[in-house]
Amino acid sequence: MSTENEGTAVPADHPAAPSTPTTPPTPPAPPTAPPASAPTPAAADAPTAAQPPTAAQPPAPEAAPAPAPDAAHAAHSAHSAHTPAHAAHTPAHAPAPESAASTPAPAAAGAGWPPPPPTVPAWGAPLPPAAPEAPRRRTGGLVAAVLVAALVAGGIGGGIGYWAAQRGDDGVSSTTVSSGEAPASFKREPGTVAAVAATALPSVVTIQAKSGGSQGEGEGGTGTGFVYDQEGHIVTNNHVVASAADGGTLSVTFPDGKSYDAEVVGRAEGYDVAVLKLTNAPKGLKPLPLGDSDKVAVGDSTIAIGAPFGLSNTVTTGIISAKNRPVASGDGSGGSNSYMSALQTDASINPGNSGGPLLDASGAVIGINSAIQSTGSGFGQSQAGSIGLGFAIPVNQAKNVAQQLIRTGKPVYPVIGATVNMQEQGEGATIASQGSGGTPSVTPDGPAAKAGLKAGDVITGFGGHQIDSGPSLISEIWTHKPGDQVKITYERDGKTSTATVTLGERTGDS
C-alpha cells in the first residue's frame, strides 16, 4: 500500500502514481538518445534544473536526483532512429512536465487501489531509479514540526518558570497565608465556650483546706469556689472546707497565681454550701453573675470550671441532663448527708470540681457542682472519675443559703414537722411511727399536724413534684423557704388525699 499521500488530500481527478512501480521487462539497450522535447513518463516525476517544480507537484527528495538530461535525450534519439514505426505515436510537441506528471497510467480493468504501474513505452526506454516514498518524508517533516513546536513550548514554559522564580526571588509574596499573617486581635463571639471561659476564669478560685486540731495537721483536700461579691466572699461546698472548720487553715488561689488566706463565714451541712471570706481581699474583684435555675431547661448547654484532681482552671462542657434530681451526698467525714433537688449534667465533674460554678451559655451561674455518681460507690466524693453523671445545687437555693450565712453565719432550713422513713424507696415518703429518741413522729402543733397528717401516711407529691422516698421529700422541702405554703398529696388507708402545709423553720445544723 502506498503512503505517498498519507497526511495530505488526494485530488479526485489526478491520482498519483505509486511510488514503487513493478519492474517492467528489460528492453534492449537504446543506441541513441531520444529527442530532448520528449521526456519519459518516469523522468517527468523528477523535474530537471531547467524545470522547477510547481505547487501541485512537490519537489523530489534530494536523495533521488533525476538522470542527466543528455543521457535521457541520447537514449530517446537512439530509440527513435531504430523504431520509426513507433515514432508516429510520439506527439509532435512534448507536453509540459506537470501535465506528464499529472496524467495517470491507465489502470487494468477491475483493478482497485493501488493502481497498476504506468504503461512502459514500446520503445523500452529504461526507467530511472524509483523515487523514495514521499509520505515518509512528509510524515517525518510533520513529526519534526511537532518536535520543534514541543521544544519551543518547552522552552517558553521553562523561560516562564525561570522568570517567575526570578520575580519570586525579587520579593513577590506567595498567595498562601501563614499563621503570622492572621489577624493580630482575634475576637471570639459572645456565647462561645472560649468567650465564656475567658470571662469567668478570673473569678474562679482553687481552695486548699488543711485540717487542724484533732484531725491532724496538714491533712485536707482541694476544691473550687467562685467570687460571690466584691467584699471578698467566696461560695463553695461545705464538704470542701469541712476538714479545716475546726482549727485548720484555708488558702485561696486565683488563676493569676496570687494566693490569699481565707476563713469560714458559715457552713450549711444539710445544703452542702459554705461561704468563705478573704482576709485581705484585693480590689477589683469581679463576682460571677447569678442566673435563674428555675428557668433552666433540659438540653441547655453547661460549662463547668474547677480543679479536678488538683488541675486548677479546668473547663469542661455538657448539657443539662435532668432537673429536680433528688440526691443525697456525704461530706466525706462520716457526718450527716446533704440533700438537694439537683441539676444533673453530663459535663465532666471529678473530685476537686466540688464547689465550682456550673455556668449556662451566657456565663451566668446556674448551680454549684457538688456530687457525682461513680461506679460502685454511690453518690459522693470518692476518687472515682466522672462517668457523665454530675449533680449541682441549683443556684436559687444556694443563693438563699449564702445570703443567710453572710447575715447570721448559720443556716436556716424549712421543715414540715414530721419524721419520715429514709430507707424505703419507690412508693413515697412514709411518716414514721415515732421520731428519734421516742418522740412523736409528727410534731404537735407543727406544720404537718396542722395540715392533718398522721403517722403512717405516705406522702407521694410535694409542690407538684412526685415523691418516691424520704430523701426526695427532704430535697424538695429544702428548695423552698420557711413560711412557703405548699400543696401535699398523700395516701391513707388506700385513699389519696391532698393538703396544704405552711413550712416552718429550723436554725442551724442538728
Side-chain angles (χ1 to χ4, degrees):
M1 178 177 178
S2 172
T3 59
E4 180 175 337
N5 290 301
E6 187 176 347
T8 58
V10 179
D13 54 348
H14 296 288
S19 62
T20 311
T22 57
T23 305
T26 305
T32 58
S37 60
T40 64
D45 287 343
T48 63
Q51 231 177 358
T54 63
Q57 177 62 36
E62 294 178 3
D70 293 340
H73 291 175
H76 197 182
S77 300
H79 182 71
S80 299
H82 290 280
T83 55
H86 293 283
H89 296 283
T90 301
H93 300 281
E98 57 267 27
S99 297
S102 62
T103 303
W113 185 262
T119 304
V120 180
W123 51 82
L127 293 176
E133 297 180 3
R136 298 183 186 272
R137 299 285 296 177
R138 293 172 183 168
T139 303
L142 177 61
V143 172
V146 172
L147 291 175
V148 170
L151 290 173
V152 171
I156 293 174
I160 292 176
Y162 177 77
W163 173 82
Q166 288 295 102
R167 288 185 60 83
D169 291 341
D170 291 339
V172 177
S173 61
S174 171
T175 57
T176 59
V177 179
S178 65
S179 59
E181 297 173 358
S185 57
F186 179 76
K187 295 183 179 180
R188 290 168 176 82
E189 294 296 329
T192 62
V193 175
V196 171
T199 301
L201 275 170
S203 300
V204 180
V205 298
T206 300
I207 300 172
Q208 293 286 345
K210 294 184 179 180
S211 62
S214 61
Q215 296 186 18
E217 185 68 27
E219 296 180 0
T222 301
T224 308
F226 62 91
V227 177
Y228 181 76
D229 57 26
Q230 292 182 335
E231 285 69 36
H233 288 107
I234 305 295
V235 173
T236 185
N237 283 144
N238 172 67
H239 71 261
V240 170
V241 301
S243 62
D246 297 325
T249 60
L250 294 169
S251 63
V252 173
T253 304
F254 283 80
D256 61 5
K258 296 180 179 180
S259 295
Y260 303 87
D261 292 335
E263 59 185 11
V264 177
V265 173
R267 301 188 298 129
E269 187 178 87
Y271 292 121
D272 196 16
V273 174
V275 176
L276 311 181
K277 176 72 179 297
L278 302 179
T279 54
N280 293 302
K283 295 182 179 180
L285 290 176
K286 295 181 179 180
L288 288 182
L290 304 182
D292 187 349
S293 54
D294 290 339
K295 296 181 179 180
V296 172
V298 173
D300 282 351
S301 298
T302 58
I303 301 171
I305 303 178
F309 297 103
L311 301 174
S312 302
N313 313 317
T314 296
V315 178
T316 56
T317 64
I319 62 170
I320 294 293
S321 303
K323 295 179 60 176
N324 305 310
R325 189 71 79 188
V327 173
S329 64
D331 61 4
S333 63
S336 301
N337 286 336
S338 300
Y339 300 95
M340 69 188 87
S341 182
L343 298 174
Q344 180 182 330
T345 180
D346 66 346
S348 181
I349 296 174
N350 291 283
N353 275 106
S354 293
L358 183 68
L359 309 174
D360 62 14
S362 69
V365 180
I366 56 175
I368 299 176
N369 300 317
S370 181
I372 61 173
Q373 174 69 60
S374 57
T375 56
S377 61
F379 294 102
Q381 291 294 325
S382 68
Q383 291 300 305
S386 172
I387 59 173
L389 295 174
F391 303 93
I393 304 168
V395 73
N396 289 5
Q397 177 182 342
K399 177 181 178 181
N400 294 334
V401 176
Q403 290 175 341
Q404 181 68 33
L405 292 175
I406 291 172
R407 286 197 305 267
T408 67
K410 295 182 179 181
V412 174
Y413 298 93
V415 297
I416 63 171
T419 301
V420 296
N421 191 322
M422 301 297 287
Q423 303 301 322
E424 298 177 358
Q425 185 173 356
E427 296 181 357
T430 302
I431 297 178
S433 58
Q434 64 179 12
S436 61
T439 61
S441 59
V442 177
T443 303
D445 202 28
K450 291 180 179 179
L453 298 176
K454 300 179 179 181
D457 290 347
V458 180
I459 300 174
T460 59
F462 187 88
H465 294 97
Q466 184 177 355
I467 301 301
D468 62 0
S469 64
S472 67
L473 175 61
I474 295 177
S475 297
E476 286 298 328
I477 291 174
W478 286 355
T479 62
H480 295 271
K481 297 177 181 180
D484 287 350
Q485 293 184 340
V486 184
K487 183 179 180 179
I488 293 179
T489 302
Y490 65 95
E491 293 181 358
R492 179 185 298 170
D493 298 330
K495 295 181 181 180
T496 301
S497 302
T498 61
T500 299
V501 61
T502 300
L503 299 176
E505 70 176 56
R506 184 192 78 202
T507 301
D509 291 309
S510 62

